[in-house]
Amino acid sequence: MKPLSSFSAFARLFALGALLALCARVQAQTDPLPSWNDGPAKQAIVAFVKETTDQASPKFVPPAERIATFDQDGTLWVEQPMYSQVVYCLERVPAVVKARPELKDVEPFKTVLSGDREAMAKLSMKDLEEILAATLTGMSVDAFNAEVKKWIAEARDPRWKRPYTELTYEPMQEVLKYLRARGYKTYIVTGGGQDFVRVYSEATYGIPPEQVVGTAGGTKYGYGKDGKPFLTKEPKLLLNDNDAGKPEGIHLMIGRRPFAAFGNSTGDRQMLEYTKAGEGARLAMLVLHDDGKREYAYGPAPGLPDTKVGTFTQELYDEARKQGWVVISMKDDWKRIFAFDER
Amino acid sequence: MKPLSSFSAFARLFALGALLALCARVQAQTDPLPSWNDGPAKQAIVAFVKETTDQASPKFVPPAERIATFDQDGTLWVEQPMYSQVVYCLERVPAVVKARPELKDVEPFKTVLSGDREAMAKLSMKDLEEILAATLTGMSVDAFNAEVKKWIAEARDPRWKRPYTELTYEPMQEVLKYLRARGYKTYIVTGGGQDFVRVYSEATYGIPPEQVVGTAGGTKYGYGKDGKPFLTKEPKLLLNDNDAGKPEGIHLMIGRRPFAAFGNSTGDRQMLEYTKAGEGARLAMLVLHDDGKREYAYGPAPGLPDTKVGTFTQELYDEARKQGWVVISMKDDWKRIFAFDER
């Protein structure tokens, strides 16, 4: 390293700059989105990145302002047949009842304990809220994190028999990495629980907890018997991060309007609208689940079933066309869905 | 740049690594805290950084987990004789009354309009809350940001006749930069308004809006006459980022426990407690305002006046000693207070 230390400061800076420029060129020659077929969706992503990160572009965006937001369920990973967080809550019920035996014969806990899937499918939204409150609140933040971490490591999806964290869409993982490599800060903006997603977001998506915006409850600061302070998760809703709650949550947690937003359902409509309403180049994309063979098919196309989660209505499809949002067809745009798929 | 492009990939990586190592050595030889006298406070900061960023240290902290939080008023900039955000609100009253003339003869607006400082000093907390609600809510987020930006550029502190953003403490600016250079993500965690501070945080402290946690109100998503969506600031409190609200806000907005926290008043006590309760090396520091000549003197020392803002009680001082929080004496620890002070 001796010869290097004799460089003048200027020469060092120049050499560093040349190396960085070289690295950028080498990177540009490799396809950053190898799991995407060359179609309008891929082209829209690449064009957006070029337009906003090329210094010579009239729509150049300074690095500090490069924010991209992603819905999670159905956009980054599988949401069928049930959101994995709901599965978590249902599977936590026995432990909750063990700790609070008075709930054993009380609905909706009784039905969940029975394991009767038909009866469970009939539970109302109010029932579900009661289950969520009992399984997501009342414990310390640390205890909750430990429980979720354990569950995420052990739980398996019923169809692929794999951890839920392996059921992320490889093409979207590539978009996350591609945007980050171009100076974008990537955020998850999910209707799911913020605390839940934060447990695995870094390992699963490379997105740190502080870049996860989700439905969030309050916490209460208090002291343990040992005098140590801790936070307890309270059954008090601070942010319902769905629909209009998404742009509201983005303002609360990020404070800047995204330049790119990705979703897959009516719950993402306002986030996409808000993103596109900004000045300059803005990218809004919707994942359309039209691949019943490799994943699931549900959406506005005739013949596709209407499911309870991830509602992609005909109205949303029409708005996408009208507003210039790009619809991603899983069937046509994605060469493979999961990392474990054959290339 | 031709010779460089013939380097093998390995040689390029090696050269880059050597350059980075060299830069790190050059940096290490320069005092990162030149405005600090060499005393226990400076030593505590340097020791903490070494302990948590040296790979060989048993208390090494991975870069992703390096979070440091800073109170703003009285910790990063002057808070006397009045929080600048309160000055902003009082100075906005004439514009609010112009837009809503029915408030002209209604208290507390009438008193503020009179300019009678003695009467204004007697306004109750409820009066102040009414003024804050009228001046901080009811407008669009964009309109609010534009107003604050304008005010920050034009307003002058009565004592130094300078923009408030020049009244930041140079030694604390050095700590922010030093921590960032060592891989820490620096956050403001303020009792002040999150939206207010976010307007100038990047230019003033190098802290982007998404790293500002503060007292936050809700917003409401809606559409303008042109059909464009926008957010309106609502008079609905989501987070009171003072006292226990600071660790609660840190959990909500960051989701990780800080390794270092800096404050100056009883409102920061829980943030410091929470920080120190974590495992490994944790740094908690309190700025003591004991320099009436160069700044202001208010605090627990006998003879110092008790003021309404930035309460540093004897009890807080005693707890700091007991808990191993480091008290920063502005008088003894800081060579200079402001960037414009003579070196």
Side-chain angles (χ1 to χ4, degrees):
Chain A
M1 279 153 40
K2 272 234 164 132
L4 279 170
S5 62
S6 67
F7 276 20
S8 74
F10 179 79
R12 277 202 310 273
L13 274 175
F14 179 80
L16 189 62
L19 277 169
L20 290 175
L22 184 72
C23 292
R25 273 211 310 281
V26 169
Q27 198 172 30
Q29 286 157 11
T30 323
D31 181 358
L33 302 172
S35 299
W36 290 71
N37 287 314
D38 193 24
K42 179 175 180 171
Q43 284 159 14
I45 299 167
V46 173
F48 166 80
V49 169
K50 279 199 181 147
E51 216 173 359
T52 57
T53 62
D54 177 355
Q55 293 242 22
S57 158
K59 294 183 175 174
F60 176 77
V61 177
E65 293 172 27
R66 292 181 199 160
I67 303 279
T69 56
F70 294 79
D71 168 59
Q72 184 192 223
D73 295 299
T75 299
L76 293 179
W77 75 355
V78 175
E79 65 182 348
Q80 295 285 1
M82 207 185 264
Y83 297 131
S84 20
Q85 191 184 349
V86 175
V87 179
Y88 169 80
C89 292
L90 293 174
E91 294 187 359
R92 281 294 297 161
V93 165
V96 166
V97 172
K98 201 176 166 191
R100 296 168 58 192
E102 71 275 14
L103 295 177
K104 195 163 73 81
D105 297 313
V106 177
E107 289 297 358
F109 303 98
K110 197 177 159 187
T111 295
V112 176
L113 286 173
S114 75
D116 178 347
R117 293 202 161 252
E118 211 166 307
M120 277 162 73
K122 283 182 195 152
L123 290 175
S124 69
M125 192 50 86
K126 201 181 143 282
D127 290 333
L128 196 61
E129 276 171 15
E130 243 178 275
I131 293 163
L132 298 192
T135 51
L136 299 176
T137 69
M139 70 292 287
S140 78
V141 161
D142 291 342
F144 175 77
N145 288 353
E147 275 305 334
V148 175
K149 202 174 168 185
K150 188 167 167 278
W151 185 83
I152 282 286
E154 293 171 358
R156 294 292 178 269
D157 167 86
R159 177 167 160 191
W160 287 276
K161 322 285 183 209
R162 287 175 180 270
Y164 291 96
T165 48
E166 286 185 21
L167 300 182
T168 64
Y169 306 134
E170 187 62 11
M172 295 305 290
Q173 291 275 18
E174 290 170 3
V175 173
L176 288 170
K177 282 179 200 140
Y178 178 40
L179 286 171
R180 287 198 292 260
R182 293 300 188 275
Y184 274 87
K185 235 177 179 172
T186 54
Y187 281 81
I188 289 173
V189 177
T190 174
Q194 182 167 281
D195 284 351
F196 184 83
V197 179
R198 280 175 169 177
V199 173
Y200 57 82
S201 62
E202 189 143 38
T204 306
Y205 303 112
I207 295 178
E210 59 269 24
Q211 284 164 227
V212 174
V213 180
T215 295
T219 55
K220 197 174 167 56
Y221 188 75
Y223 302 89
K225 281 176 193 159
D226 57 0
K228 277 207 169 187
F230 69 98
L231 292 165
T232 303
K233 285 171 68 64
E234 297 270 284
K236 182 190 153 195
L237 186 69
L238 285 184
L239 174 65
N240 178 357
D241 200 39
N242 285 296
D243 308 309
K246 290 213 173 191
E248 291 163 7
I250 287 169
H251 177 70
L252 176 68
M253 307 284 292
I254 311 177
R256 309 191 197 246
R257 193 192 299 256
F259 276 83
F262 298 76
N264 80 302
S265 80
T266 50
D268 303 311
R269 192 171 64 83
Q270 288 87 342
M271 174 167 77
L272 268 58
E273 246 176 26
Y274 179 64
T275 299
K276 282 292 271 189
E279 286 174 14
R282 307 273 169 166
L283 180 67
M285 299 192 87
L286 279 170
V287 175
L288 174 65
H289 294 261
D290 58 358
D291 194 330
K293 206 175 150 211
R294 295 187 299 173
E295 203 239 11
Y296 292 97
Y298 52 105
L304 292 185
D306 182 25
T307 62
K308 279 182 192 169
V309 297
T311 316
F312 195 133
T313 59
Q314 186 62 47
E315 197 194 348
L316 183 68
Y317 194 87
D318 296 342
E319 190 176 354
R321 292 290 173 214
K322 199 177 125 196
Q323 305 283 353
W325 306 346
V326 182
V327 174
I328 300 165
S329 160
M330 292 181 77
K331 194 157 155 274
D332 298 332
D333 287 314
W334 290 357
K335 278 186 198 163
R336 54 176 187 163
I337 310 276
F338 305 111
F340 56 80
D341 281 345
E342 278 176 42
R343 277 174 192 262
Chain B
M1 280 154 42
K2 271 234 166 133
L4 279 170
S5 61
S6 66
F7 276 20
S8 74
F10 179 79
R12 278 204 308 275
L13 275 175
F14 178 81
L16 188 62
L19 276 168
L20 291 174
L22 184 73
C23 292
R25 274 212 309 282
V26 168
Q27 197 172 30
Q29 286 158 10
T30 322
D31 181 358
L33 302 172
S35 298
W36 290 71
N37 287 315
D38 193 23
K42 179 174 181 172
Q43 285 158 15
I45 299 167
V46 173
F48 166 79
V49 169
K50 280 198 180 146
E51 217 173 358
T52 58
T53 62
D54 178 354
Q55 293 242 23
S57 157
K59 293 183 175 174
F60 176 77
V61 177
E65 292 173 28
R66 292 181 198 160
I67 303 280
T69 57
F70 294 80
D71 168 61
Q72 184 192 224
D73 296 299
T75 299
L76 292 179
W77 75 355
V78 174
E79 65 182 349
Q80 296 284 3
M82 207 185 264
Y83 297 131
S84 20
Q85 191 183 349
V86 174
V87 179
Y88 169 80
C89 292
L90 293 174
E91 294 187 359
R92 281 293 299 161
V93 166
V96 167
V97 172
K98 201 175 166 192
R100 296 168 56 192
E102 71 276 14
L103 296 177
K104 194 163 73 83
D105 297 313
V106 177
E107 290 296 356
F109 304 98
K110 196 178 160 185
T111 295
V112 176
L113 286 173
S114 76
D116 178 346
R117 293 201 162 253
E118 212 165 308
M120 277 161 72
K122 283 181 195 150
L123 290 175
S124 69
M125 192 51 84
K126 200 181 142 283
D127 290 332
L128 197 60
E129 276 170 17
E130 243 178 274
I131 293 162
L132 298 192
T135 51
L136 300 177
T137 69
M139 70 292 287
S140 78
V141 160
D142 290 343
F144 175 77
N145 288 354
E147 274 305 335
V148 175
K149 201 174 169 186
K150 188 167 169 275
W151 185 82
I152 281 287
E154 292 171 0
R156 295 293 178 270
D157 167 87
R159 176 166 161 192
W160 286 276
K161 322 284 182 210
R162 287 176 181 269
Y164 290 97
T165 48
E166 287 186 21
L167 300 182
T168 65
Y169 306 134
E170 187 62 11
M172 294 305 291
Q173 291 273 19
E174 291 170 2
V175 173
L176 288 171
K177 283 180 199 138
Y178 179 39
L179 286 171
R180 287 197 292 261
R182 292 300 187 275
Y184 274 89
K185 234 176 179 173
T186 54
Y187 281 81
I188 290 174
V189 177
T190 174
Q194 182 168 281
D195 283 351
F196 184 83
V197 178
R198 280 175 169 176
V199 173
Y200 58 82
S201 62
E202 189 142 38
T204 306
Y205 303 112
I207 294 177
E210 60 269 25
Q211 285 165 225
V212 174
V213 179
T215 295
T219 56
K220 198 174 166 56
Y221 188 76
Y223 302 89
K225 280 177 194 159
D226 57 0
K228 277 208 168 185
F230 69 99
L231 292 165
T232 303
K233 285 171 67 65
E234 297 271 283
K236 180 190 155 195
L237 187 69
L238 285 186
L239 173 67
N240 178 357
D241 200 40
N242 285 295
D243 308 308
K246 290 212 174 191
E248 290 162 6
I250 287 169
H251 177 71
L252 176 68
M253 307 283 293
I254 311 176
R256 307 192 198 245
R257 193 193 298 256
F259 276 83
F262 298 77
N264 80 303
S265 80
T266 51
D268 302 311
R269 191 170 65 82
Q270 287 88 342
M271 175 167 76
L272 269 58
E273 246 175 25
Y274 180 64
T275 300
K276 282 293 269 190
E279 285 174 16
R282 307 274 169 165
L283 180 67
M285 300 192 85
L286 278 170
V287 175
L288 175 65
H289 294 262
D290 57 358
D291 194 330
K293 206 176 151 209
R294 296 187 299 173
E295 203 240 12
Y296 293 96
Y298 52 105
L304 292 185
D306 181 25
T307 62
K308 279 182 195 169
V309 297
T311 317
F312 195 133
T313 58
Q314 186 62 45
E315 196 193 350
L316 184 68
Y317 194 88
D318 296 342
E319 190 176 355
R321 293 290 175 214
K322 198 177 124 197
Q323 305 283 354
W325 305 347
V326 182
V327 174
I328 299 165
S329 160
M330 291 180 77
K331 195 157 156 274
D332 298 332
D333 287 313
W334 290 356
K335 279 186 196 162
R336 56 176 186 162
I337 310 276
F338 305 112
F340 56 80
D341 281 344
E342 279 176 41
R343 277 177 193 261

